[in-house]
Amino acid sequence: EGRIVIKDDWLGYSLELFTYPEHYHEDIESVYIPHGVIMDRTERLARHIMDDIGDHDMVVLCVLKGGYKFCSDLVEFIKVQCRNSNKHLETRVEFIRLKSYLNDQSTEDLHIIGSQDLSVLRGKNVLIVEAIVDTGKTMKALLKHVGSFEPKMIKVAGLLVKRVSNVVGSLPDYVGFEIPNRFVVGYALDYNEYFRDLNHICVISEIGKVKYKI
Ligand SMILES: Oc1ncnc2c1N=NC2
């Protein structure tokens, strides 16, 4: 299936062309992917997903915290698709919390926070929903963990996939955008917990990187 490829020389839209929370005005460089474009792309991904796995009950596994906005918007679009095609599909949402980043660097260790009982996945169609797939290390470890609960099928939806050289493991089945290897924030993607309240996906400024550095 297709994806929107954002080229390395795309610098994003100028800030004064959009609205965003005033308190971030010096912390972001540009609007990289506007909220409206994210929503329209997510709506189209919902149709792909429904075409592929819309005939069975599905359990959506939302990867927190970065994935919460993408997941809630995607699930909403999936529900609208179901209503319009009168498919009576139960879409249950489970949550899993991963922490693998400090500042803007991936840490080696992946740890799964909170021991949700994922035995509900057994025998089910599972759709893992993640905001961003970077090196793929996190996703590989998560797929192994989820597989241990013996679901019927696992598919992965990733809003963003980074063009990085050292990719491990497989890429998501459904991809919103392929982006250059630069640190982006907003739409629940954070930098040390900041910027989750920003609707657009933006490029963080050097001031922002220093201001919110841990
Ligand atoms: O660009 C990014 N922005 C926020 N969080 C993450 C990123 N890449 N991997 C995790």
Side-chain angles (χ1 to χ4, degrees), residues 100-101 103-104 106 132-135 160 162 179 182-185 189-191:
S100 64
Y101 264 75
N103 294 327
D104 59 353
S106 164
I132 190 160
V133 175
D134 198 326
T135 57
L160 305 174
K162 277 197 180 174
I179 64 169
R182 59 169 33 164
F183 200 81
V184 292
V185 291
L189 284 169
D190 77 306
Y191 174 77

mmCIF file of all heavy atoms in Angstrom, residues 100-101 103-104 106 132-135 160 162 179 182-185 189-191, ligand 1:
data_model
loop_
_atom_site.group_PDB
_atom_site.id
_atom_site.type_symbol
_atom_site.label_atom_id
_atom_site.label_comp_id
_atom_site.label_asym_id
_atom_site.label_seq_id
_atom_site.Cartn_x
_atom_site.Cartn_y
_atom_site.Cartn_z
ATOM 1 N N SER A 100 11.164 4.324 25.956
ATOM 2 C CA SER A 100 12.475 3.934 25.415
ATOM 3 C C SER A 100 13.271 5.162 24.984
ATOM 4 O O SER A 100 14.278 5.044 24.355
ATOM 5 C CB SER A 100 12.288 3.018 24.209
ATOM 6 O OG SER A 100 11.632 3.746 23.189
ATOM 7 N N TYR A 101 12.793 6.379 25.292
ATOM 8 C CA TYR A 101 13.506 7.585 24.846
ATOM 9 C C TYR A 101 13.836 8.490 26.016
ATOM 10 O O TYR A 101 13.027 8.655 26.917
ATOM 11 C CB TYR A 101 12.654 8.368 23.834
ATOM 12 C CG TYR A 101 13.055 8.014 22.427
ATOM 13 C CD1 TYR A 101 12.677 6.795 21.882
ATOM 14 C CD2 TYR A 101 13.889 8.834 21.680
ATOM 15 C CE1 TYR A 101 13.076 6.440 20.618
ATOM 16 C CE2 TYR A 101 14.289 8.478 20.405
ATOM 17 C CZ TYR A 101 13.884 7.283 19.880
ATOM 18 O OH TYR A 101 14.291 6.921 18.636
ATOM 19 N N ASN A 103 15.388 12.469 26.274
ATOM 20 C CA ASN A 103 15.687 13.587 25.362
ATOM 21 C C ASN A 103 15.322 13.134 23.948
ATOM 22 O O ASN A 103 14.252 12.654 23.736
ATOM 23 C CB ASN A 103 17.159 14.001 25.483
ATOM 24 C CG ASN A 103 17.401 14.578 26.868
ATOM 25 O OD1 ASN A 103 16.525 15.205 27.455
ATOM 26 N ND2 ASN A 103 18.583 14.316 27.409
ATOM 27 N N ASP A 104 16.263 13.224 23.004
ATOM 28 C CA ASP A 104 15.848 12.776 21.660
ATOM 29 C C ASP A 104 16.680 11.569 21.218
ATOM 30 O O ASP A 104 16.882 11.350 20.035
ATOM 31 C CB ASP A 104 15.976 13.927 20.658
ATOM 32 C CG ASP A 104 17.416 14.439 20.586
ATOM 33 O OD1 ASP A 104 18.244 13.979 21.399
ATOM 34 O OD2 ASP A 104 17.709 15.270 19.726
ATOM 35 N N SER A 106 17.258 7.332 21.466
ATOM 36 C CA SER A 106 16.677 6.064 21.876
ATOM 37 C C SER A 106 17.610 5.388 22.881
ATOM 38 O O SER A 106 18.806 5.350 22.701
ATOM 39 C CB SER A 106 16.549 5.165 20.625
ATOM 40 O OG SER A 106 16.341 3.834 21.026
ATOM 41 N N ILE A 132 5.072 6.337 15.944
ATOM 42 C CA ILE A 132 6.292 6.476 15.138
ATOM 43 C C ILE A 132 7.155 5.228 15.275
ATOM 44 O O ILE A 132 7.274 4.672 16.355
ATOM 45 C CB ILE A 132 7.063 7.743 15.578
ATOM 46 C CG1 ILE A 132 8.188 8.049 14.597
ATOM 47 C CG2 ILE A 132 7.576 7.654 17.006
ATOM 48 C CD1 ILE A 132 8.647 9.490 14.680
ATOM 49 N N VAL A 133 7.640 4.765 14.131
ATOM 50 C CA VAL A 133 8.576 3.639 14.119
ATOM 51 C C VAL A 133 9.913 4.207 13.660
ATOM 52 O O VAL A 133 10.022 4.777 12.571
ATOM 53 C CB VAL A 133 8.103 2.515 13.173
ATOM 54 C CG1 VAL A 133 9.166 1.426 13.088
ATOM 55 C CG2 VAL A 133 6.791 1.927 13.668
ATOM 56 N N ASP A 134 10.896 4.098 14.524
ATOM 57 C CA ASP A 134 12.201 4.720 14.260
ATOM 58 C C ASP A 134 13.151 3.610 13.811
ATOM 59 O O ASP A 134 13.105 3.147 12.684
ATOM 60 C CB ASP A 134 12.649 5.399 15.568
ATOM 61 C CG ASP A 134 13.734 6.422 15.333
ATOM 62 O OD1 ASP A 134 14.554 6.177 14.416
ATOM 63 O OD2 ASP A 134 13.762 7.443 16.008
ATOM 64 N N THR A 135 13.959 3.089 14.704
ATOM 65 C CA THR A 135 14.884 2.010 14.297
ATOM 66 C C THR A 135 14.127 0.684 14.152
ATOM 67 O O THR A 135 14.619 -0.243 13.549
ATOM 68 C CB THR A 135 15.941 1.801 15.392
ATOM 69 O OG1 THR A 135 15.233 1.502 16.604
ATOM 70 C CG2 THR A 135 16.787 3.046 15.582
ATOM 71 N N LEU A 160 3.935 7.418 11.535
ATOM 72 C CA LEU A 160 5.193 7.878 10.928
ATOM 73 C C LEU A 160 6.217 6.747 10.923
ATOM 74 O O LEU A 160 6.323 6.012 11.901
ATOM 75 C CB LEU A 160 5.769 9.038 11.743
ATOM 76 C CG LEU A 160 4.879 10.253 11.998
ATOM 77 C CD1 LEU A 160 5.575 11.217 12.941
ATOM 78 C CD2 LEU A 160 4.527 10.936 10.694
ATOM 79 N N LYS A 162 10.356 6.490 10.133
ATOM 80 C CA LYS A 162 11.538 7.308 9.852
ATOM 81 C C LYS A 162 12.440 6.602 8.851
ATOM 82 O O LYS A 162 12.627 5.392 8.918
ATOM 83 C CB LYS A 162 12.324 7.549 11.139
ATOM 84 C CG LYS A 162 11.763 8.706 11.943
ATOM 85 C CD LYS A 162 12.783 9.176 12.954
ATOM 86 C CE LYS A 162 12.210 10.322 13.748
ATOM 87 N NZ LYS A 162 13.108 10.713 14.844
ATOM 88 N N ILE A 179 9.089 9.762 6.933
ATOM 89 C CA ILE A 179 9.725 11.077 7.145
ATOM 90 C C ILE A 179 11.238 10.929 7.247
ATOM 91 O O ILE A 179 11.746 9.845 7.527
ATOM 92 C CB ILE A 179 9.170 11.758 8.428
ATOM 93 C CG1 ILE A 179 9.518 10.951 9.680
ATOM 94 C CG2 ILE A 179 7.683 12.004 8.314
ATOM 95 C CD1 ILE A 179 9.236 11.708 10.978
ATOM 96 N N ARG A 182 14.606 12.994 11.461
ATOM 97 C CA ARG A 182 14.746 14.189 12.319
ATOM 98 C C ARG A 182 13.706 14.091 13.429
ATOM 99 O O ARG A 182 12.716 13.388 13.291
ATOM 100 C CB ARG A 182 14.567 15.465 11.515
ATOM 101 C CG ARG A 182 13.256 15.570 10.825
ATOM 102 C CD ARG A 182 13.019 16.921 10.262
ATOM 103 N NE ARG A 182 14.207 17.618 9.783
ATOM 104 C CZ ARG A 182 14.138 18.664 8.992
ATOM 105 N NH1 ARG A 182 12.967 19.076 8.579
ATOM 106 N NH2 ARG A 182 15.201 19.299 8.604
ATOM 107 N N PHE A 183 13.989 14.780 14.546
ATOM 108 C CA PHE A 183 13.115 14.635 15.705
ATOM 109 C C PHE A 183 11.891 15.528 15.560
ATOM 110 O O PHE A 183 12.014 16.742 15.399
ATOM 111 C CB PHE A 183 13.903 14.989 16.989
ATOM 112 C CG PHE A 183 13.267 14.429 18.218
ATOM 113 C CD1 PHE A 183 13.464 13.094 18.580
ATOM 114 C CD2 PHE A 183 12.435 15.214 18.996
ATOM 115 C CE1 PHE A 183 12.849 12.558 19.717
ATOM 116 C CE2 PHE A 183 11.822 14.691 20.124
ATOM 117 C CZ PHE A 183 12.022 13.363 20.478
ATOM 118 N N VAL A 184 10.727 14.919 15.575
ATOM 119 C CA VAL A 184 9.474 15.671 15.440
ATOM 120 C C VAL A 184 8.663 15.552 16.727
ATOM 121 O O VAL A 184 8.833 14.601 17.499
ATOM 122 C CB VAL A 184 8.633 15.188 14.238
ATOM 123 C CG1 VAL A 184 9.322 15.523 12.921
ATOM 124 C CG2 VAL A 184 8.351 13.698 14.336
ATOM 125 N N VAL A 185 7.817 16.546 16.971
ATOM 126 C CA VAL A 185 6.972 16.562 18.174
ATOM 127 C C VAL A 185 5.558 16.973 17.796
ATOM 128 O O VAL A 185 5.317 17.468 16.707
ATOM 129 C CB VAL A 185 7.527 17.564 19.227
ATOM 130 C CG1 VAL A 185 8.838 17.070 19.823
ATOM 131 C CG2 VAL A 185 7.686 18.966 18.623
ATOM 132 N N LEU A 189 3.255 13.123 20.146
ATOM 133 C CA LEU A 189 4.687 12.802 20.174
ATOM 134 C C LEU A 189 5.370 13.825 21.073
ATOM 135 O O LEU A 189 5.145 15.032 20.940
ATOM 136 C CB LEU A 189 5.269 12.875 18.762
ATOM 137 C CG LEU A 189 4.923 11.681 17.883
ATOM 138 C CD1 LEU A 189 5.294 11.956 16.449
ATOM 139 C CD2 LEU A 189 5.638 10.431 18.384
ATOM 140 N N ASP A 190 6.187 13.318 22.004
ATOM 141 C CA ASP A 190 6.732 14.239 22.998
ATOM 142 C C ASP A 190 8.240 14.378 22.907
ATOM 143 O O ASP A 190 8.929 13.613 22.245
ATOM 144 C CB ASP A 190 6.387 13.727 24.416
ATOM 145 C CG ASP A 190 7.298 12.561 24.808
ATOM 146 O OD1 ASP A 190 7.360 11.591 24.029
ATOM 147 O OD2 ASP A 190 7.987 12.649 25.845
ATOM 148 N N TYR A 191 8.724 15.384 23.605
ATOM 149 C CA TYR A 191 10.147 15.549 23.909
ATOM 150 C C TYR A 191 10.171 15.749 25.415
ATOM 151 O O TYR A 191 9.723 16.797 25.905
ATOM 152 C CB TYR A 191 10.716 16.762 23.161
ATOM 153 C CG TYR A 191 12.144 17.095 23.525
ATOM 154 C CD1 TYR A 191 13.204 16.345 23.025
ATOM 155 C CD2 TYR A 191 12.429 18.160 24.372
ATOM 156 C CE1 TYR A 191 14.516 16.653 23.362
ATOM 157 C CE2 TYR A 191 13.737 18.477 24.711
ATOM 158 C CZ TYR A 191 14.774 17.718 24.206
ATOM 159 O OH TYR A 191 16.065 18.027 24.550
HETATM 160 O O1 LIG B 1 11.020 12.027 16.216
HETATM 161 C C1 LIG B 1 10.523 11.542 17.374
HETATM 162 N N1 LIG B 1 9.769 12.326 18.165
HETATM 163 C C2 LIG B 1 9.260 11.859 19.331
HETATM 164 N N2 LIG B 1 9.462 10.608 19.761
HETATM 165 C C3 LIG B 1 10.213 9.800 18.984
HETATM 166 C C4 LIG B 1 10.769 10.215 17.782
HETATM 167 N N3 LIG B 1 11.462 9.204 17.212
HETATM 168 N N4 LIG B 1 11.365 8.132 18.002
HETATM 169 C C5 LIG B 1 10.608 8.384 19.174
#
